[in-house]
Amino acid sequence: MSITIHDLRRRESSYLPGSAACPGCGATIAFRIASRILGPNTVYVVPACCFSIIQSTYPRSAISAPILNFAFAAAAAAASGVQRAYKFLGKDVNVVVWAGDGGTVDIGIQALSGAAERGENIMYICYDNEAYMNTGIQRSGATPMKAITKTTPTGKQEMPKDMPMIVAAHRVPYVATASVGYPFDLANKLEKARKIKGFKYIHIFSPCPPGWDFPVEKTAEVGKLAVDTYFWPLYEIVEGKLRVTVKPRKKPLKEFIRMQRRFDSLKDEEIEEMEKLVMEKWNFLLHLEKSERVF
Ligand SMILES: Cc1ncc(C[n+]2csc(CCOP(=O)(O)OP(=O)(O)O)c2C)c(N)n1
Ligand code: SF4
């Protein structure tokens, strides 16, 4: 049965008032939903990222769940150890890595790959704000092409890594993309992943007002437009089988791009070029959807 607004309201979030997050932070919307679905029987492993600031420092805390802060490169390894320790004690606890895109697609990728390959019984959630935000907006391997960051002042020249597909290639039981602009799609993916044994990976598109330069009240709109313009397709891969979970009527990519000043260097012709890449990927996903197995 699908998660409804009433289910979400009934369940308790581990996110408390008074955090250090910026107004309109997409990552905190993602965490509110995730912690409601994952419940109190959850331990989070958080490497250095905005969230390690948002959670605040001891003795204050904006998160009511237990958190283990760990070195960037080792989050998935730490989570593997925590999960095995609980198992040894006979306790069934959700162990979840909650990491930014830099900590996932760049610095933590080898520990993540190792844990996925070993089939560790953990969930890895990447909240993707598409740059190293906590240290002042530097480009990451997840930053989209043409986005302006402090280290790509004229726009990034490279395509981002396709991390969900990289993880799926490890043949793990569950991989999904999600966006804070489609909260029930995200909630249902979390609910499904929660019940699966083995390595689960969810990659959440998490708009960041200061990093992407858009008004703070537009976070949900940006997150929704990313999906509606096919910039950020929503799909899941369960035991190797891919399904596109949301198929909206397509809106022009320009609507999404022009909402954010990080894409200010893009001319209209370049947006058209980008739209072709976006359609290529969308059509490829629809093609994969017809296959028996992706990996
Ligand atoms: C090994 C190591 N290198 C660099 C840093 C500095 N550092 C702390 S947070 C951060 C950015 C993290 O970016 P990301 O994972 O994308 O999360 P975000 O800050 O965007 O939430 C960096 C580079 C560090 N703490 N440890
Ligand atoms: S910089 Fe972005 S991701 Fe970090 S707390 Fe602020 S809004 Fe959230």
Side-chain angles (χ1 to χ4, degrees), residues 154-166:
T154 55
K156 189 185 170 192
Q157 297 305 310
E158 300 81 21
M159 288 284 281
K161 297 182 196 179
D162 193 337
M163 198 62 198
M165 284 295 177
I166 291 171

Side-chain angles (χ1 to χ4, degrees), residues 109-120:
I109 194 170
Q110 49 40 312
L112 161 56
S113 172
E117 187 259 336
R118 292 192 305 275
E120 299 289 346

